[in-house]
Amino acid sequence: MRYLNETDPEWDRHDGGAGHDEAPWGTADGDLAHAYLAALRAQGTDNARRVFDHLIEHPGAQVTSAELDERVLGAPAGEVNPHRVSGVVSAMCKPLEGAGRRYPFTWWEQEVGVGARYGVRPSVAAVFLAARIRLDRGAGPS
């Protein structure tokens, strides 16, 4: 796993396209992050929440689809399917509609068989981790 610091230029060389056209996440976006996490949980798919949780718990890490499929989604060794993760990631995009913010994660294409790489900037992970703590404690937006 490769780790990127906050200012690494690799963050700007993503393959996220229009999903990164909106405003970036900032320290004042705790309420938006809370709403995003609540909507993600309300979708009824545990996989999207688990993948996003893994990414924010590893700030700056570039994690491959294969790693996510095996470590987070529980694919048996030898049966890893990077395309399974892309379906989960699409569910992570839906709660953003109308939020006015870019994807909270970044993705990069990678070689065939391993799938894409995904990551969350350290500053963005901090906003979401704080929002998750409030949500887990039953607290509303700040």
Side-chain angles (χ1 to χ4, degrees):
M1 205 177 317
R2 178 177 174 212
Y3 285 87
L4 306 176
N5 67 36
E6 185 69 27
T7 59
D8 193 306
E10 186 70 14
W11 291 112
D12 296 323
R13 290 193 282 268
H14 60 80
D15 293 304
H20 292 282
D21 289 346
E22 299 284 351
W25 291 87
T27 56
D29 290 330
D31 289 348
L32 280 174
H34 187 279
Y36 173 84
L37 292 173
L40 193 63
R41 289 179 180 187
Q43 284 183 358
T45 172
D46 195 42
N47 285 343
R49 182 196 56 78
R50 289 173 44 219
V51 166
F52 189 67
D53 280 350
H54 184 83
L55 293 174
I56 64 175
E57 290 166 1
H58 297 86
Q62 286 186 316
V63 186
T64 67
S65 293
E67 290 173 285
L68 289 169
D69 195 26
E70 186 175 350
R71 293 182 187 168
V72 179
L73 301 179
E79 295 181 30
V80 171
N81 179 353
H83 300 292
R84 185 178 7 247
V85 175
S86 63
V88 170
V89 170
S90 68
M92 291 167 36
C93 298
K94 291 176 185 170
L96 284 174
E97 294 173 3
R101 292 292 176 272
R102 63 179 40 190
Y103 296 152
F105 57 88
T106 302
W107 70 276
W108 302 266
E109 288 186 20
Q110 199 176 25
E111 62 271 4
V112 176
V114 181
R117 293 171 289 143
Y118 299 91
V120 175
R121 249 185 222 265
S123 63
V124 175
V127 171
F128 280 91
L129 286 167
R132 187 179 74 182
I133 289 169
R134 287 196 319 274
L135 191 62
D136 288 347
R137 291 182 178 166
S142 57

